[in-house]
Amino acid sequence: MTPHERGRSAGPARRTGSTLHPGAWWLWALGLGTAATRTTNPLLLALLLAASAHVVATHRSSAPWSRSYAAFARLALAVLLVRVLFAVALGSPVPGTHTLLTLPEIPLPHWAQGIRLGGRVTAEAVVFAVYDGLRLATLLVCVGAANALASPARLLKSLPGALYETGVAVVVALTFAPHLVADVQRLRAARRLRGRPDRGLRGLLQVGLPVLEGALERSVALAAAMESRGYGRAAEVPASVRRTTAALTLGGLLGVCAGTYGLLTAEGGTYGVPVLLAGAAAALAGLRLGGRRSLRTRYRPDPWGLHAWLTAGSGAAAAALLTLASVRDPQALHPGVVPLIAPTLPLWPAAAVLPAVLPAFAVPGEPS
């Protein structure tokens, strides 16, 4: 076989992981997370979890960062259990008549009025805690789906110039984390082979110090390599532009926080969306101006095509439809616990979750 034939048979080099723009995966996941905040119905939250799990199963690559979905799922389960334990141990403001058990109550001083340790545990309080904890757990799982589908390195290339330094720090931290875990496992295995303890305080000190020393050496070597390649260079911009950038970014972030708070509360439903949109526009304008300070170029930028629009739009559609359903039929999306009734699956809000599964069928999977 000639060199030309070998090169032709090898084919063009392909990127690892999904070819979709990483920002589309994050917008899709944030849309699912927004939809999860609009309901406490466990059946609808289970549909959102199933949608995210199906998309992750069909589009997850073999990269190490793609295994983070299981870690976020375990974290979500831990958050749910902690929420229930807090409701059992510290009490709940939800009144109830179905007593499950009565714990010994610890008397508290007068300045701690309103806080209870122990006492009567009702089924209504436990169910309310499960609904509330499941909503937060679903939000964490949606974030885990974005981490499992979007490559951190490719996401770094898509960040605005104003966030480039922060993105570099985050990607470096995510890259070094697996090395730290591997160093801990290697040192613990070496100590066990030598018959030395690898647990307890002494084992932790004996293992932690070499791991810390190796991490510092790796960090210094990486810093020297980045400095030699020109990382950290900044362009000179006028003082007026810097002040305008700071004002737009800070004001925009405050507007996003105020608008999000308005969306999450019943009283702020009228001003939540306008304030959120205005804050997002101001923050984007500030990031655009702040990008003038960054001296960098993009090598093979990720295209934003039809599949990216479909993915981001499917998450936005699920969020918008469930938000509309929460306004028109709040009882269906927030099942009551007093009196204690079994939750039902509302047909129209359940159909609103279906767009979230669109990327599993409309977006090509990982290239082989």
Side-chain angles (χ1 to χ4, degrees):
M1 182 180 293
T2 63
H4 176 71
E5 292 175 344
R6 285 197 299 269
R8 184 173 56 187
S9 62
R14 293 182 178 181
R15 296 178 180 179
T16 59
S18 175
T19 57
L20 192 69
H21 195 286
W25 286 125
W26 271 101
L27 291 176
W28 168 80
L30 291 177
L32 265 65
T34 303
T37 61
R38 309 313 300 168
T39 178
T40 55
N41 191 318
L43 301 179
L44 292 176
L45 293 174
L47 286 179
L48 289 172
L49 290 173
S52 67
H54 181 65
V55 174
V56 170
T58 54
H59 287 77
R60 183 171 57 179
S61 67
S62 57
W65 43 263
S66 65
R67 294 192 289 268
S68 62
Y69 186 76
F72 274 88
R74 290 191 291 267
L75 177 62
L77 181 60
V79 167
L80 176 60
L81 293 177
V82 168
R83 179 66 180 88
V84 175
L85 289 177
F86 270 45
V88 171
L90 302 179
S92 174
V94 177
T97 57
H98 299 79
T99 303
L100 297 178
L101 71 158
T102 302
L103 299 175
E105 186 170 355
I106 301 175
L108 296 176
H110 67 280
W111 51 265
Q113 296 296 327
I115 302 176
R116 178 174 62 84
L117 295 178
R120 190 167 64 96
V121 179
T122 63
E124 290 84 353
V126 172
V127 171
F128 178 80
V130 170
Y131 289 173
D132 193 46
L134 186 60
R135 177 169 57 177
L136 181 57
T138 305
L139 181 60
L140 289 174
V141 169
C142 293
V143 175
N147 280 273
L149 294 171
S151 169
R154 289 173 55 195
L155 184 63
L156 171 64
K157 295 196 304 180
S158 305
L159 285 178
L163 300 177
Y164 185 64
E165 289 82 0
T166 305
V168 169
V170 172
V171 171
V172 168
L174 292 176
T175 305
F176 274 12
H179 292 287
L180 294 178
V181 175
D183 289 345
V184 171
Q185 294 176 349
R186 177 175 54 82
L187 290 171
R188 290 185 61 183
R191 290 186 63 83
R192 285 195 299 268
L193 290 175
R194 293 178 175 86
R196 298 176 181 177
D198 62 325
R199 298 182 182 276
L201 181 59
R202 182 179 179 184
L204 178 63
L205 293 176
Q206 295 295 330
V207 172
L209 291 178
V211 169
L212 180 60
E213 181 181 359
L216 291 176
E217 292 179 355
R218 196 179 296 116
S219 301
V220 172
L222 179 62
M226 294 177 66
E227 185 178 2
S228 65
R229 288 165 174 81
Y231 281 86
R233 292 180 301 173
E236 292 293 336
V237 294
S240 59
V241 175
R242 291 199 301 268
R243 289 193 293 268
T244 305
T245 300
L248 287 174
T249 305
L250 182 59
L253 292 178
L254 291 176
V256 169
C257 293
T260 304
Y261 177 79
L263 289 177
L264 295 177
T265 58
E267 295 80 5
T270 56
Y271 69 85
V273 174
V275 173
L276 178 61
L277 293 178
L284 291 177
L287 293 178
R288 183 74 175 179
L289 286 177
R292 297 181 178 181
R293 184 175 175 270
S294 176
L295 294 175
R296 69 188 185 102
T297 58
R298 298 181 186 270
Y299 174 69
R300 294 177 63 188
D302 287 304
W304 186 281
L306 176 62
H307 293 142
W309 283 113
L310 288 175
T311 301
S314 64
L321 291 175
L322 273 184
T323 301
L324 181 61
S326 66
V327 174
R328 293 193 172 185
D329 192 6
Q331 296 297 329
L333 272 70
H334 300 278
V337 295
V338 180
L340 192 61
I341 58 176
T344 59
L345 182 63
L347 181 60
W348 188 75
V353 182
L354 294 180
V357 198
L358 181 63
F361 305 98
V363 177
E366 178 187 0
S368 58

